[in-house]
Amino acid sequence: MDTAIKMTNVHKSFGESKVINDVSISIQSGELIGFLGPSGAGKTTTIKLLTGQLRQEMGTAEILGKSNTTLNHESYKQIGIVSDNSGLYENLNAYDNLLLFSRILNVDAKKIKTMLERVGLKEHAKKTVKKFSRGMKQRLVLARALMHNPKVLFLDEPTSGLDPSTTIEIHKLMMEMKEGGTTFFLTTHDMTEASKLCDRIVLFNEGKIIDMGTLDELSQKYNTNKYVQILLTSGESIKLRLNKENSTKIADLIANDQIATMHTGEPTLETIFLKLTGRGLQ
């Protein structure tokens, strides 16, 4: 597969504060990668660097084979960005906001109604954006970012403030686009969202990549305290380490039909992150 995004030894500082510290990563076309980290870790700054809104002091960053320092109008026709500060025209209604961007990006205006419906805003098409809630504005920004079928889509906490049903619809839409070849760069501190959607997960803290891999790879790597949690038919809950001695006990419980449920105890992303950094994801 082609490489959609590449960063090599990238550094970025604001004054004396090092925000991005020697970050290197390669993301393939059609991959959905999640940058998982707490607020202030440098996730948004990474997006701004990759999309040419900021310049790094050291290293190189490329998107779709083009340096982030030379992106132009044609480049941005292939890129979508969803973030909290993705500006909307507050005095225009939802439809007219998308109409304006459809003209800028040369997208058929017939697509606007479909996009509004997909993000749950069909009934609010003629409502002025300044009357929208935060969640509604986020949905409109998402519709705008998706309407030109970008090759690369940057999503900075895209479902923050959205209700569960809308979040599910957004996830479905993301998966459809991914199947069509869109590359996703998702930043989040929602471990459930990352676990559900991402091909690979980057654990990011204080401007550094501290580890990365698939969910299974990370879970297995840090699963040092292997155990099973068993709920017996009697209602009693027991926790057993996975070893030779307990394998006999578990086999006996199964043979005697005493197990109601049994779950292995792989660490969560939250647990892994806490182990590596000493801090949580929130």
Side-chain angles (χ1 to χ4, degrees), residues 7-236:
M7 300 176 72
T8 306
N9 305 122
V10 173
H11 294 255
K12 176 64 182 176
S13 299
F14 294 115
E16 297 298 317
S17 177
K18 177 76 77 172
V19 182
I20 304 297
N21 192 352
D22 197 25
V23 170
S24 296
I25 190 170
S26 180
I27 303 171
Q28 302 305 306
S29 296
E31 188 174 14
L32 199 164
I33 195 162
F35 262 55
L36 189 66
S39 298
K43 304 187 302 293
T44 300
T45 299
T46 302
I47 287 180
K48 288 183 177 180
L49 282 170
L50 284 169
T51 54
Q53 299 173 68
L54 293 173
R55 299 286 179 91
Q56 64 273 19
E57 290 96 36
M58 294 175 58
T60 60
E62 298 178 0
I63 179 168
L64 298 172
K66 195 174 184 66
S67 169
N68 65 327
T69 62
T70 60
L71 298 177
N72 54 29
H73 182 65
E74 290 303 312
S75 304
Y76 289 117
K77 285 184 178 180
Q78 303 178 77
I79 299 170
I81 305 173
V82 174
S83 67
D84 275 344
N85 59 1
S86 296
L88 294 169
Y89 290 91
E90 298 273 327
N91 291 321
L92 295 179
N93 62 38
Y95 183 90
D96 287 341
N97 261 275
L98 295 191
L99 180 61
L100 174 62
F101 281 90
S102 72
R103 291 171 177 170
I104 293 173
L105 298 169
N106 195 29
V107 175
D108 190 339
K110 293 179 181 178
K111 195 172 182 179
I112 295 174
K113 290 183 179 179
T114 301
M115 292 309 306
L116 288 172
E117 184 173 9
R118 288 305 305 267
V119 298
L121 292 176
K122 180 182 178 181
E123 303 304 319
H124 303 281
K126 296 301 181 179
K127 187 174 182 178
T128 306
V129 170
K130 64 183 177 183
K131 297 179 181 178
F132 276 17
S133 66
R134 181 175 180 274
M136 291 171 70
K137 289 180 180 178
Q138 185 77 341
R139 282 184 272 164
L140 184 58
V141 169
L142 185 59
R144 189 187 71 190
L146 296 178
M147 66 186 300
H148 63 296
N149 290 322
K151 290 183 178 179
V152 177
L153 185 56
F154 293 91
L155 301 174
D156 194 4
E157 306 284 355
T159 57
S160 176
L162 300 185
D163 62 85
S165 61
T166 302
T167 296
I168 290 171
E169 287 303 312
I170 297 307
H171 287 172
K172 287 180 180 177
L173 187 54
M174 289 171 62
M175 289 298 98
E176 287 176 14
M177 293 188 67
K178 181 178 181 298
E179 289 175 5
T182 300
T183 304
F184 286 85
F185 188 105
L186 169 70
T187 73
T188 182
H189 59 252
D190 184 338
M191 59 184 175
T192 302
E193 184 168 63
S195 300
K196 178 181 178 181
L197 298 176
C198 298
D199 296 314
R200 281 191 295 157
I201 295 166
V202 176
L203 301 178
F204 201 63
N205 189 47
E206 296 181 349
K208 295 181 180 180
I209 294 175
I210 54 177
D211 210 339
M212 75 173 84
T214 66
L215 177 60
D216 286 343
E217 288 170 347
L218 291 171
S219 293
Q220 291 302 315
K221 183 176 181 178
Y222 296 100
N223 189 15
T224 56
N225 186 25
K226 298 182 179 181
Y227 68 91
V228 289
Q229 189 76 42
I230 300 173
L231 177 65
L232 301 178
T233 53
S234 65
E236 180 186 359

